[in-house]
Amino acid sequence: MSTSLSLNLTIQNHKITNLTVSKSRLPSRFTVFSTPKCFRNVSPTNSRRPRLRNGSVELPKVLSSRVLVSSNDAHYGLLQEEKEAPAPSFAEFVTSERVKVVAMLALSLALCNADRVVMSVAIVPLSLAQGWSRSFSGIVQSSFLWGYLVSPIVGGTLVDYYGGKVVMAWGVALWSLATFLTPWAAEMSLWALLTARAMLGVAEGVALPCMNNMVARWFPQTERARAVGIAMAGFQLGSAIGLTLSPILMSQGGVLGPFVIFGLSGFLWVLVWLSAISSTPNRNPQISKYELEYILNKKTKPFSVESKSKTTKVIPPFGRLLSKTPTWSLIIANSMHSWGFFVILSWMPIYFNSVYHVDLKQAAWFSAVPWSVMAFTGYFGGLWSDMLIRGGTSVTLTRKIMQSIGFVGPAVALIGLTTAKSPSIASAWLTLAVGLKAFSHSGFLVNLQEIAPQYSGVLHGMSNTAGTLAAILGTVGAGFFVELVGSFRGFLLLTSFLYFLAAIFYCLFSTGQKVNFDETVSERN
């Protein structure tokens, strides 16, 4: 038995168009033949001869798409393609290394969002102490978004270049430091506080691109929506944790209490992440052979292509990315998602306090319940999405169904919220709005990996930057809108109308297929 090189072939119209080479052992039972008479002596089970046409090898339909080449490149052979690994059981899935990865991602996103929402609660005592108006409170809350506006594109490019593990570790470390220093910055000056919050935004801008990168590396397409659902469940639980614990911690330790606790928790997460998680499955020493083969076999393209670093193209083709309508469907979807997310996250405690006259702890509780529900509905949406694809529904249609639920549902629920007469009814409508909103995680958020796997980081960064601009406009605009009109309800109706428009745009222009962003004009012609 001799050492061989295994060639994984991509075949279009019965022609070899792409080869991926790896070492293997050549079993003696397979036929080997010499190079000059290319493919002359084929195995008896595949007696039809391949032909050379226009410089490429044309294979008969009965031949396998796997070729073996010996280590001295002097002989060729044909192998039947390996059988696809069976689908994993539930027990294997929940104990697998890839679930450990997504669990750590979920925990990081929980810390990410908890660090954000602390200010949504702390802004109430800070505004009273400093005498800030509603509009100025909106500016203070939006300072996080100033930094978040800067980092997603750069962070997404770094993620595509260096991988999600390294960039995520740096991001969590920096945003934990910013969170830890926030109460002392508030005591120093207003500008120091705004700088600390902007630094938090800069660091957190890499979180979602890193999550997408790690999910794309560790999960096959039939499990990605579920994985994103688990990760984003942590993101939503972070909102609930931050909103419920912050008033309790502030009552015990003052304004600095929650900032210190959440900041130190982030440093602990970084230590575990660096020691326990690998950047790719094939670098993990603890992964089972079955799981590794399952991940690699279920990839929609060779893993080595999907996970390699971009050593030749550091600057992404921004013009080509923006020239495609599927890109704009993601940008519009992310913008509307961020608008609704940050308006609800930043203003709902104040909304319940001013409209229904509940105290700070109750307001935080009413605002936290919807995010807890969103964590579960997000996972359910991901599970349902994966089931639809396994059942034969096209990826494009599946993403449009999920995104429609994720936008039309909140639009209707926000209209119901404006009619609520009591805080409990209002909380029910808000819970419905936020819960249905989670379905968009199985829409545009997974779609980023599908239309541009090689540019998913930078594409996520571009759409996040647009989303951040929308979030700044919504967060600051809500404060000025309330001062001018004197009502939160009008702003909620405006948000509902924008949800409807964004849903229509996504359904018209999105796709679940890979888009060729590297195509040139000459190639099209």
Side-chain angles (χ1 to χ4, degrees):
M1 183 177 291
S2 60
T3 302
S4 304
L5 296 178
S6 177
L7 286 162
N8 293 322
L9 309 182
T10 301
I11 300 177
Q12 294 180 350
N13 298 325
H14 310 299
K15 292 185 179 181
I16 300 172
T17 59
N18 185 39
L19 304 177
T20 303
V21 183
S22 62
K23 289 185 178 180
S24 62
R25 305 288 295 177
L26 179 62
S28 58
R29 66 179 180 275
F30 290 101
T31 305
V32 180
F33 36 86
S34 58
T35 303
K37 302 289 185 179
C38 184
F39 297 105
R40 180 183 60 187
N41 298 321
V42 186
S43 172
T45 59
N46 294 315
S47 57
R48 292 177 61 188
R49 296 182 182 179
R51 300 187 303 275
L52 282 174
R53 179 176 295 178
N54 297 327
S56 63
V57 181
E58 186 177 52
L59 297 176
K61 290 183 179 180
V62 296
L63 292 180
S64 167
S65 61
R66 169 169 256 202
V67 177
L68 291 185
V69 185
S70 66
S71 56
N72 60 8
D73 291 337
H75 298 85
Y76 294 82
L78 295 176
L79 270 179
Q80 289 185 348
E81 196 170 283
E82 296 179 358
K83 293 183 179 180
E84 185 180 281
S89 64
F90 178 76
E92 188 280 331
F93 178 78
V94 298
T95 58
S96 63
E97 290 299 313
R98 63 189 184 279
V99 167
K100 294 178 184 177
V101 172
V102 80
M104 286 297 293
L105 289 170
L107 186 56
S108 70
L109 295 182
L111 290 170
C112 174
N113 226 16
D115 291 347
R116 291 182 189 183
V117 303
V118 171
M119 186 57 71
S120 299
V121 180
I123 195 70
V124 177
L126 284 175
S127 297
L128 293 174
Q130 302 294 331
W132 295 337
S133 65
R134 286 284 170 80
S135 57
F136 192 79
S137 296
I139 293 175
V140 172
Q141 296 217 72
S142 70
S143 59
F144 160 83
L145 296 168
W146 305 348
Y148 199 72
L149 179 66
V150 175
S151 62
I153 294 179
V154 176
T157 304
L158 292 174
V159 168
D160 287 337
Y161 192 77
Y162 292 108
K165 178 183 176 180
V166 174
V167 180
M168 181 66 102
W170 278 105
V172 176
L174 289 175
W175 87 53
S176 298
L177 178 63
T179 301
F180 185 82
L181 295 177
T182 295
W184 286 277
E187 291 182 0
M188 291 176 60
S189 68
L190 176 61
W191 284 109
L193 172 61
L194 297 178
T195 301
R197 295 296 294 175
M199 177 180 171
L200 176 72
V202 169
E204 289 196 357
V206 305
L208 293 181
C210 286
M211 181 273 292
N212 248 322
N213 178 273
M214 292 296 287
V215 166
R217 291 182 172 204
W218 275 88
F219 287 84
Q221 188 179 53
T222 54
E223 291 183 355
R224 286 181 185 172
R226 194 186 332 175
V228 170
I230 294 172
M232 294 306 294
F235 194 69
Q236 314 314 330
L237 287 175
S239 300
I241 292 169
L243 288 168
T244 53
L245 287 185
S246 293
I248 298 173
L249 293 173
M250 283 194 295
S251 65
Q252 299 296 321
V255 175
L256 65 85
F259 293 99
V260 172
I261 296 298
F262 292 135
L264 292 177
S265 299
F267 293 130
L268 178 62
W269 181 92
V270 172
L271 295 177
V272 177
W273 174 260
L274 291 175
S275 61
I277 301 300
S278 301
S279 58
T280 57
N282 56 353
R283 293 182 181 178
N284 189 310
Q286 297 179 329
I287 193 170
S288 67
K289 181 181 178 181
Y290 167 80
E291 183 180 4
L292 182 61
E293 289 179 351
Y294 173 75
I295 293 173
L296 301 188
N297 288 339
K298 295 292 281 187
K299 291 287 181 182
T300 56
K301 62 177 185 174
F303 179 79
S304 58
V305 176
E306 186 169 280
S307 62
K308 69 181 181 180
S309 298
K310 304 294 184 295
T311 54
T312 57
K313 287 186 179 181
V314 179
I315 301 177
F318 291 108
R320 291 175 181 173
L321 290 171
L322 291 172
S323 68
K324 310 288 187 177
T325 53
T327 299
W328 285 100
S329 72
L330 294 174
I331 289 175
I332 296 298
N334 202 334
S335 297
M336 191 60 237
H337 183 78
S338 296
W339 173 293
F341 179 86
F342 282 101
V343 165
I344 293 173
L345 191 67
S346 300
W347 286 103
M348 283 304 100
I350 300 176
Y351 177 79
F352 278 94
N353 179 264
S354 61
V355 175
Y356 299 107
H357 308 292
V358 297
D359 62 30
L360 180 58
K361 287 185 180 180
Q362 286 181 312
W365 173 254
F366 278 121
S367 301
V369 170
W371 302 109
S372 301
V373 174
M374 188 178 189
F376 293 102
T377 55
Y379 177 75
F380 172 76
L383 187 62
W384 184 24
S385 175
D386 290 340
M387 290 175 60
L388 286 175
I389 294 174
R390 284 198 184 100
T393 305
S394 70
V395 176
T396 299
L397 180 58
T398 300
R399 300 299 172 232
K400 290 181 179 181
I401 291 172
M402 296 297 133
Q403 194 60 52
S404 297
I405 297 173
F407 276 2
V408 176
V412 174
L414 287 180
I415 295 174
L417 176 60
T418 61
T419 65
K421 303 299 182 183
S422 68
S424 58
I425 298 299
S427 181
W429 278 114
L430 183 62
T431 300
L432 183 62
V434 175
L436 293 176
K437 181 180 172 66
F439 280 83
S440 63
H441 299 158
S442 299
F444 84 91
L445 197 55
V446 183
N447 200 198
L448 289 161
Q449 305 165 11
E450 293 162 343
I451 73 166
Q454 74 276 38
Y455 299 119
S456 63
V458 68
L459 186 60
H460 201 152
M462 292 166 61
S463 62
N464 261 12
T465 296
T468 304
L469 285 171
I472 293 174
L473 181 61
T475 304
V476 177
F480 283 99
F481 188 94
V482 172
E483 282 195 351
L484 292 174
V485 180
S487 171
F488 276 106
R489 292 186 173 94
F491 195 80
L492 293 176
L493 291 174
L494 172 62
T495 301
S496 176
F497 177 70
L498 294 176
Y499 266 129
F500 281 118
L501 292 181
I504 293 171
F505 191 92
Y506 185 87
C507 288
L508 289 176
F509 298 109
S510 64
T511 179
Q513 304 302 313
K514 182 180 177 181
V515 177
N516 185 8
F517 290 110
D518 293 320
E519 183 184 23
T520 63
V521 175
S522 60
E523 289 173 338
R524 288 197 299 268
N525 297 334

